[in-house]
Amino acid sequence: MNVSGGSLREFLTVGKSMHTSISEILKEKSLKPSRRSLPCLAQSQTHPINLNHFLSVPLSPEPKPEVEGLSQSISTSCTKDVMQIGLFLWFPTGSMTVSLIVLCLCAAEDGKDHYVEESEVTTCETRADESFLLQKPATRAKLEGKNRADSSGLFFRDGKKRIDYILVYKKSSPQVEKRCTFEKNLRAEGLMLEKEPSLTNNDIMFVKVHAPWDTLCKYAEQMNIRMPFRKKCYFTDWKSKTLGRCRQIKSWLPRNPMKLDKEALPDLEETDCYTAPFSRARMHHFTINNRETFFSNSTRSRIVHHVLQRTKYEDGKSKMGINRLLGNNTYEAAFPPHEGGYKSRHPIKTHGAQNHRHLLYERWARWGIWYKYQPLDLIRRYFGEKIGLYFAWLGWYTGMLIPAALVGVFVFLYGLFTMDSSQVSKEICEANTTIMCPMCEETCDPWTLSDSCVYAKVTHLFDNGGTVFFAIFMAIWATVFLEFWKRRRAELTYDWDLIDWEEEEEELRPQFEAKYSRVERVNPISGKPEPFQPFSDKLSRLMVSVSGIFFMISLVLTAVFAVVVFRLIVMEKFASFNWKFVKKNWQFATSGTGVCINFMIIMSLNVVYEKVAYLLTNLEHPRTESEWENSFALKMFLFQFVNLNSSTFYIAFFLGRFAGRPGKYNKLFNRWRLEECHPSGCLIDLCLQMGVIMFFKQIWNNFMELGYPLLQNWWSRRKIKKGGGGRQNVENKAQLPQWDKDWNLQPMNAHGLVDEYLEMVLQFGFTTIFVAAFPLAPLLALLNNIIEIRLDAYKFVTQWRRPMPARATDIGIWHGILEGIGVLAVITNAFVIAITSDYIPRFVYAFKYGPCMDKGHHHEDECLRGYMNSSLSVFDMSELKNSSQPRYCRYRDYRAPPWSPVPYEFTLQFWHVLAARLAFIIVFEHLVFGIKSFIAYLIPDMPKDLCDRMRREKYLMQEMMYEAELEHLQKERKKNGRRYHHEWP
């Protein structure tokens, strides 16, 4: 160390004075630090390796604990403008030699206080971190490599304290004072912090957060976290014996290839233990074999997140929480770290899994095991119960789609095999002399009915005799799916110890506490005062939110109206097109271009909906996190559902219903004639709309979920290799510590699982609501979900930062939305069959006007002879001005011919068809709703054996808690030499 003469003299003078003051302090028997200094004292011993390298002379091999703790807590106000010097001083104190570390000399520059990077925090541990950063690059790189080899980026620099959370900020950020106060308050709450620079970007700094044992116990008790305290003891009865025999017989059968190998999955101990809310007063009840592993990594991260959400960064009731600091760019990110890499050089079968992330990748996220069941217990342990329930629901939904897809394929194959033999298709293809009225009045010519032969055959694929059966089947299927999911969810909540937690009251959102902290009321359950939102304020905010929802829905309807106008314009253009192929297939051209334009509008409006829903939800200030998620999810569903299905509803129920007749067409703005249905029906337009939107939307969603993160992560790795962050090139990604690897991954969606659930719920709507028009919808949904499960798994494990583990007992408001979709599906399918398809007109003709009238039931094709001629009316084209066309043309309607006494009036057949349609809707709805209610009554929400197990477990838990408390008290009395008895004291 080179020190000038004057500086050395001043330094020795300061050292002498410190020697005198410290020797006086050492005479005191005990030190009582303040509450805010306790975390500093505890954490100042977390970097012995770095401190040894930092000091110019080695420490004494056996320092006294009091002096060591004192030496680490002397300096309390060093800044970046301070010269830090390590010095080893010897001086006698009685009969012992004391080693003292003079940590720093404080010197102000120009007499001013400047907030710079290393001056923002004033605790011992931060100065130790800063001293590590102030070392020479070569020495620091050597230490970094050694520490990474020891801890793999999962621990503090001492290799002992596990990293529970990572905070990321930029050194160039001006929010230094907020960050300083926030980190100081975090230490006051008992957390330990350690800073680390990024190896890929000079401007990035990581703050590693560790929760010590006492802090974990304190907040685990406050959060009522359930922890294991005794192994489960199972009892046997006739039912379990019978099941045992069944398992023995089942073992003789071939092995199910969809099941995972039990040897490949770890034995999760907590799944085989009774649990109870953690209590420090009854800590002896719990099974604590190792303090480091008693709280799982996900539980530790959840506790730290709870503290981060409720720690202040400024004076003021609303100035708290990591979310606000992320919003004002004080911190760039906050996330729990992954448990290491997800790949290994060695095969998992021979060397085992490196960590749970590696195990999840090999047994869940790889595409090669797409047919395997999901390891739900492992998913729940790593990502938390909320994400575990999502994948459990997604797997259950995918499995239930298998029978629906099979029935839909059978209905489609039935239409395919009978397509050429269909009487309606034959009549259309053979109608070479049937002249149809022109599609426009000026430039369009009449056309023959046989020109739409292909169109009629394709219509028969989706509009045949199996349509009604499939619609009833899917309505019943939706009910069975939801009822059995309730049972599955009950089993999961029991296995994951969520039954009692479900009854506990949820904590308030920090934003709600900050907003309404001045108005309080007594909680009727806990009896404690809590922030309260007045009814007038809640009502006014709700009215503004509802107004915003209606405005966005009106915007969607405006977009649909624009698509309708577009279809009317291009219909005339295509019908009068010079290209013969387009002119002949103008229906396909009109429907195809309309669907593509509508799809682009849907995708462009989705971004707007998300932002508007987020703003409206924050405006309401929901009380708890679940209320916020439910409110946001409901808005997103309403926006997306209306956006996605409004054009579909138009085609299903309005297209061709108000077109009028030749000579008296209804026109939009007195300019464009309203669109008509094809002579074979409007169902093919609905089918085309659903098929295109469902297919392309699934492709787009899969790309945005996986392709976009892959591209972003690839770009981040490319910048790292080129040294784009300002540091030297990093050749091997394995050299990076875990926090740097996680920082280069993409964050999870800001709205959690809302986007994941929303995609599946909208798909469920497509699968059930208009399934009568598109029987292949369940098959497309099944194929998409098989990909979706592995895609989401791969995304969660490899492409996203580890999300914050959260608890949940069900899928939230989505279950109610699914039930609403199930009810809507019955109504819409009834209207689709009765109004959109030609099933009812064909049925009325076959038994009232066809050749089978009054002759009993014959083959369907025989009864439908002459149906097309009966469904087409006649128009006299001579009534049009300047018309040089043939005398008569045909159009789709039930009207009297021009030579009748009352020309162009509705015929009796029209009223028969209308009455049959209304009757079918009433009968169909009552029949299906009756079957749904009966099935829901037959299937209980919770299995009886599960109810018995829950009651027995509650009884055994009370007995074991009593025995554990009695045993503990007896041991205490025996230890104290008192007389003890076997009865309760």
Side-chain angles (χ1 to χ4, degrees):
M1 179 186 303
N2 296 326
V3 183
S4 61
S7 301
L8 179 61
R9 189 179 303 109
E10 296 174 2
F11 176 77
L12 293 177
T13 304
V14 174
K16 183 176 180 181
S17 61
M18 289 184 64
H19 169 206
T20 305
S21 60
I22 294 174
S23 61
E24 295 175 356
I25 295 174
L26 290 175
K27 295 179 183 180
E28 300 181 5
K29 294 183 179 180
S30 62
L31 292 174
K32 296 182 179 179
S34 63
R35 178 178 178 271
R36 292 189 177 271
S37 66
L38 283 174
C40 179
L41 291 172
Q43 191 169 342
S44 61
Q45 304 177 13
T46 61
H47 317 294
I49 299 176
N50 301 320
L51 285 176
N52 289 342
H53 283 274
F54 166 67
L55 296 176
S56 59
V57 184
L59 288 174
S60 177
E62 297 181 356
K64 293 293 181 180
E66 295 83 356
V67 180
E68 182 180 357
L70 177 63
S71 64
Q72 293 179 355
S73 59
I74 292 175
S75 176
T76 56
S77 60
C78 295
T79 65
K80 182 178 180 182
D81 302 323
V82 177
M83 178 191 299
Q84 299 187 354
I85 304 175
L87 185 62
F88 195 79
L89 298 178
W90 296 86
F91 57 92
T93 57
S95 60
M96 79 172 176
T97 303
V98 179
S99 60
L100 176 65
I101 304 172
V102 180
L103 293 176
C104 60
L105 294 176
C106 303
E109 181 180 355
D110 297 333
K112 296 180 180 180
D113 295 334
H114 299 282
Y115 273 104
V116 289
E117 178 53 37
E118 280 80 5
S119 67
E120 58 184 87
V121 182
T122 59
T123 59
C124 316
E125 187 231 342
T126 303
R127 286 190 300 277
D129 296 339
E130 293 168 359
S131 65
F132 177 77
L133 302 179
L134 291 174
Q135 295 182 38
K136 294 181 179 180
T139 305
R140 190 173 64 203
K142 183 177 180 181
L143 288 176
E144 288 173 348
K146 182 177 179 181
N147 292 326
R148 282 198 305 274
D150 296 339
S151 62
S152 303
L154 301 177
F155 298 88
F156 275 25
R157 288 197 290 268
D158 62 354
K160 297 179 181 179
K161 295 177 175 59
R162 177 174 293 276
I163 300 174
D164 299 320
Y165 225 85
I166 297 292
L167 305 178
V168 186
Y169 68 89
K170 289 184 177 180
K171 299 177 184 178
S172 57
S173 172
Q175 309 288 346
V176 178
E177 187 174 358
K178 294 180 181 178
R179 191 165 57 246
C180 169
T181 305
F182 183 70
E183 293 177 4
K184 180 184 69 175
N185 293 336
L186 288 180
R187 290 185 177 89
E189 293 294 334
L191 299 180
M192 297 182 179
L193 310 182
E194 184 179 74
K195 291 191 177 182
E196 197 79 35
S198 173
L199 297 182
T200 60
N201 194 325
N202 279 329
D203 196 30
I204 295 297
M205 182 70 73
F206 298 101
V207 180
K208 298 175 286 185
V209 183
H210 168 76
W213 171 256
D214 294 337
T215 304
L216 291 173
C217 293
K218 170 186 173 183
Y219 284 100
E221 184 176 10
Q222 290 184 9
M223 299 169 64
N224 291 320
I225 295 179
R226 301 181 66 87
M227 301 303 297
F229 72 91
R230 189 71 63 88
K231 283 281 185 180
K232 287 185 178 180
C233 51
Y234 297 97
F235 67 100
T236 59
D237 56 2
W238 65 271
K239 186 179 294 187
S240 60
K241 292 179 181 179
T242 305
L243 292 176
R245 296 191 187 98
C246 294
R247 294 190 190 100
Q248 185 178 2
I249 297 174
K250 191 176 180 181
S251 62
W252 300 340
L253 300 176
R255 182 176 173 273
N256 187 353
M258 301 175 67
K259 288 186 177 180
L260 290 166
D261 299 330
K262 292 186 178 180
E263 299 178 355
L265 297 176
D267 183 18
L268 303 179
E269 296 179 357
E270 71 273 10
T271 60
D272 198 32
C273 293
Y274 294 115
T275 61
F278 185 79
S279 172
R280 287 179 291 179
R282 295 187 175 183
M283 191 179 296
H284 51 277
H285 290 177
F286 298 90
T287 307
I288 307 178
N289 298 324
N290 186 353
R291 289 188 173 186
E292 298 297 327
T293 59
F294 179 67
F295 294 102
S296 64
N297 293 338
S298 60
T299 304
R300 299 172 67 99
S301 300
R302 190 155 57 91
I303 292 175
V304 173
H305 181 78
H306 176 85
V307 179
L308 294 176
Q309 286 281 65
R310 286 157 177 78
T311 302
K312 289 187 177 182
Y313 59 86
E314 279 185 5
D315 292 335
K317 293 186 177 182
S318 63
K319 307 295 185 180
M320 67 165 61
I322 187 63
N323 290 343
R324 286 181 174 269
L325 292 176
L326 291 172
N328 59 27
N329 295 325
T330 302
Y331 289 97
E332 298 297 316
F335 52 88
H338 278 294
E339 295 182 2
Y342 63 89
K343 286 187 178 180
S344 175
R345 298 178 180 178
H346 307 289
I348 191 173
K349 292 184 178 179
T350 57
H351 292 74
Q354 292 181 335
N355 49 65
H356 283 163
R357 188 188 184 195
H358 179 214
L359 186 61
L360 281 171
Y361 175 76
E362 293 290 338
R363 294 292 180 255
W364 181 47
R366 282 196 306 112
W367 296 99
I369 56 173
W370 61 270
Y371 58 93
K372 295 283 188 181
Y373 292 140
Q374 301 182 87
L376 295 178
D377 288 334
L378 188 61
I379 298 170
R380 167 244 178 175
R381 179 182 177 88
Y382 193 82
F383 292 109
E385 288 79 3
K386 193 171 186 178
I387 295 178
L389 273 174
Y390 163 71
F391 282 103
W393 175 84
L394 181 57
W396 183 259
Y397 171 45
T398 304
M400 290 293 293
L401 278 173
I402 295 176
L406 292 176
V407 177
V409 170
F410 289 150
V411 173
F412 178 78
L413 292 178
Y414 170 77
L416 182 65
F417 292 146
T418 60
M419 181 174 59
D420 294 330
S421 61
S422 172
Q423 182 64 29
V424 177
S425 300
K426 285 181 181 180
E427 292 185 1
I428 292 178
C429 295
E430 296 173 357
N432 297 322
T433 59
T434 303
I435 305 300
M436 303 298 295
C437 296
M439 296 305 301
C440 56
E441 299 176 353
E442 297 179 358
T443 59
C444 300
D445 297 326
W447 53 285
T448 58
L449 183 59
S450 60
D451 293 341
S452 60
C453 177
V454 177
Y455 201 85
K457 288 184 177 181
V458 174
T459 300
H460 183 74
L461 289 175
F462 306 99
D463 189 4
N464 51 65
T467 301
V468 177
F469 164 75
F470 190 58
I472 297 175
F473 172 82
M474 287 303 297
I476 298 173
W477 172 87
T479 302
V480 173
F481 161 66
L482 293 175
E483 292 300 324
F484 275 98
W485 164 247
K486 293 179 183 178
R487 294 168 63 90
R488 177 60 176 157
R489 175 248 176 192
E491 293 174 353
L492 289 174
T493 53
Y494 170 76
D495 294 336
W496 293 352
D497 294 311
L498 299 173
I499 298 293
D500 293 340
W501 185 83
E502 181 181 11
E503 300 175 357
E504 295 177 4
E505 189 175 5
E506 192 176 357
E507 296 180 351
L508 301 179
R509 293 180 72 235
Q511 293 83 353
F512 181 86
E513 292 180 328
K515 177 68 176 178
Y516 299 102
S517 58
R518 296 182 179 180
V519 182
E520 292 185 348
R521 73 166 184 178
V522 177
N523 189 304
I525 299 175
S526 62
K528 299 178 181 179
E530 66 176 12
F532 172 68
Q533 183 180 14
F535 176 77
S536 58
D537 181 79
K538 185 175 183 178
L539 181 61
S540 60
R541 293 178 181 275
L542 186 61
M543 293 298 294
V544 174
S545 179
V546 171
S547 302
I549 292 174
F550 278 110
F551 173 77
M552 295 305 298
I553 292 178
S554 63
L555 181 64
V556 175
L557 298 179
T558 304
V560 173
F561 180 76
V563 174
V564 171
V565 175
F566 172 80
R567 289 173 65 102
L568 298 181
I569 295 174
V570 299
M571 179 185 66
E572 294 186 1
K573 299 299 182 182
F574 288 145
S576 60
F577 211 70
N578 294 329
W579 190 7
K580 186 177 180 180
F581 177 79
V582 176
K583 187 175 182 179
K584 186 177 180 180
N585 300 280
W586 61 268
Q587 293 102 336
F588 277 113
T590 302
S591 300
T593 53
V595 170
C596 293
I597 295 295
N598 184 59
F599 178 75
M600 289 188 290
I601 293 176
I602 289 172
M603 293 295 103
S604 60
L605 288 177
N606 283 345
V607 180
V608 180
Y609 296 150
E610 184 175 347
K611 294 182 179 179
V612 172
Y614 184 77
L615 292 175
L616 293 179
T617 306
N618 286 335
L619 178 66
E620 294 176 6
H621 284 294
R623 183 173 176 271
T624 60
E625 286 294 338
S626 62
E627 290 181 5
W628 189 96
E629 288 188 6
N630 292 339
S631 178
F632 178 76
L634 182 60
K635 293 180 181 61
M636 285 294 295
F637 170 75
L638 290 175
F639 293 158
Q640 296 274 20
F641 183 81
V642 174
N643 186 30
L644 200 63
N645 294 284
S646 53
S647 58
T648 310
F649 272 91
Y650 163 75
I651 294 174
F653 305 125
F654 298 98
L655 178 63
R657 304 288 176 258
F658 310 100
R661 61 173 180 84
K664 195 178 180 181
Y665 282 114
N666 297 322
K667 295 184 179 181
L668 184 65
F669 303 132
N670 295 324
R671 171 65 179 86
W672 296 292
R673 202 176 91 187
L674 295 182
E675 195 173 355
E676 294 182 77
C677 286
H678 186 265
S680 61
C682 291
L683 200 66
I684 186 61
D685 295 293
L686 178 60
C687 177
L688 183 63
Q689 173 85 7
M690 289 185 59
V692 170
I693 290 182
M694 191 172 184
F695 179 75
F696 283 106
K697 190 174 187 301
Q698 288 178 352
I699 292 178
W700 176 257
N701 288 337
N702 291 339
F703 169 76
M704 292 302 295
E705 287 185 8
L706 183 61
Y708 186 66
L710 279 173
L711 291 176
Q712 287 187 315
N713 292 335
W714 170 81
W715 183 253
S716 299
R717 292 192 298 269
R718 187 172 178 271
K719 288 197 301 183
I720 291 173
K721 289 181 180 180
K722 289 187 175 182
R727 286 188 177 267
Q728 57 185 357
N729 297 351
V730 181
E731 297 293 338
N732 188 6
K733 187 181 177 182
Q735 297 177 358
L736 294 176
Q738 190 60 46
W739 53 80
D740 244 322
K741 295 178 183 177
D742 291 348
W743 165 246
N744 292 320
L745 297 178
Q746 298 304 311
M748 186 181 175
N749 294 331
H751 314 308
L753 294 172
V754 172
D755 293 339
E756 311 296 330
Y757 276 115
L758 181 62
E759 178 186 355
M760 291 295 102
V761 169
L762 291 175
Q763 183 204 85
F764 179 82
F766 258 85
T767 306
T768 56
I769 292 179
F770 294 104
V771 73
F774 192 53
L776 291 180
L779 178 62
L780 291 180
L782 175 62
L783 297 177
N784 176 78
N785 287 8
I786 292 175
I787 299 174
E788 183 75 20
I789 291 177
R790 304 304 161 180
L791 186 147
D792 284 347
Y794 184 83
K795 178 178 60 179
F796 271 91
V797 174
T798 66
Q799 301 302 311
W800 277 1
R801 298 170 192 160
R802 187 177 183 180
M804 203 285 294
R807 303 204 80 181
T809 57
D810 54 16
I811 60 176
I813 198 175
W814 298 110
H815 190 274
I817 292 176
L818 291 173
E819 290 183 337
I821 290 177
V823 174
L824 182 62
V826 176
I827 300 174
T828 54
N829 281 307
F831 276 88
V832 166
I833 296 172
I835 296 177
T836 310
S837 75
D838 276 356
Y839 176 80
I840 299 300
R842 291 197 300 263
F843 182 84
V844 172
Y845 176 83
F847 295 98
K848 184 65 177 175
Y849 298 95
C852 296
M853 180 179 58
D854 301 329
K855 295 182 180 180
H857 180 71
H858 292 77
H859 193 270
E860 182 181 1
D861 292 337
E862 297 180 4
C863 298
L864 289 177
R865 288 179 183 176
Y867 169 73
M868 284 308 304
N869 185 60
S870 174
S871 63
L872 296 178
S873 300
V874 181
F875 175 70
D876 187 1
M877 296 190 65
S878 62
E879 298 180 10
L880 299 177
K881 296 180 180 180
N882 301 326
S883 176
S884 60
Q885 306 294 343
R887 177 72 186 273
Y888 296 106
C889 66
R890 310 295 296 272
Y891 62 97
R892 179 184 169 87
D893 209 340
Y894 297 100
R895 291 181 182 269
W899 55 81
S900 67
V902 187
Y904 306 121
E905 289 294 327
F906 289 115
T907 62
L908 184 62
Q909 187 176 355
F910 169 82
W911 299 108
H912 285 164
V913 171
L914 179 61
R917 284 174 169 170
L918 296 177
F920 176 83
I921 292 173
I922 296 173
V923 173
F924 183 88
E925 290 182 354
H926 282 73
L927 176 65
V928 175
F929 280 130
I931 296 175
K932 286 168 62 73
S933 301
F934 182 69
I935 292 176
Y937 173 77
L938 291 179
I939 304 175
D941 294 346
M942 186 176 294
K944 184 178 183 305
D945 59 338
L946 180 60
C947 294
D948 295 339
R949 278 187 290 166
M950 291 173 54
R951 293 174 62 184
R952 178 169 176 79
E953 178 173 330
K954 186 175 181 179
Y955 168 76
L956 292 176
M957 285 175 58
Q958 293 176 352
E959 291 292 323
M960 285 185 288
M961 292 289 284
Y962 171 82
E963 293 175 0
E965 187 69 24
L966 182 61
E967 182 181 356
H968 174 69
L969 291 176
Q970 289 175 351
K971 288 181 180 179
E972 290 293 326
R973 291 186 176 186
K974 186 176 181 180
K975 188 196 317 184
N976 297 332
R978 297 179 183 177
R979 186 178 179 182
Y980 62 94
H981 305 279
H982 293 285
E983 69 273 6
W984 184 262

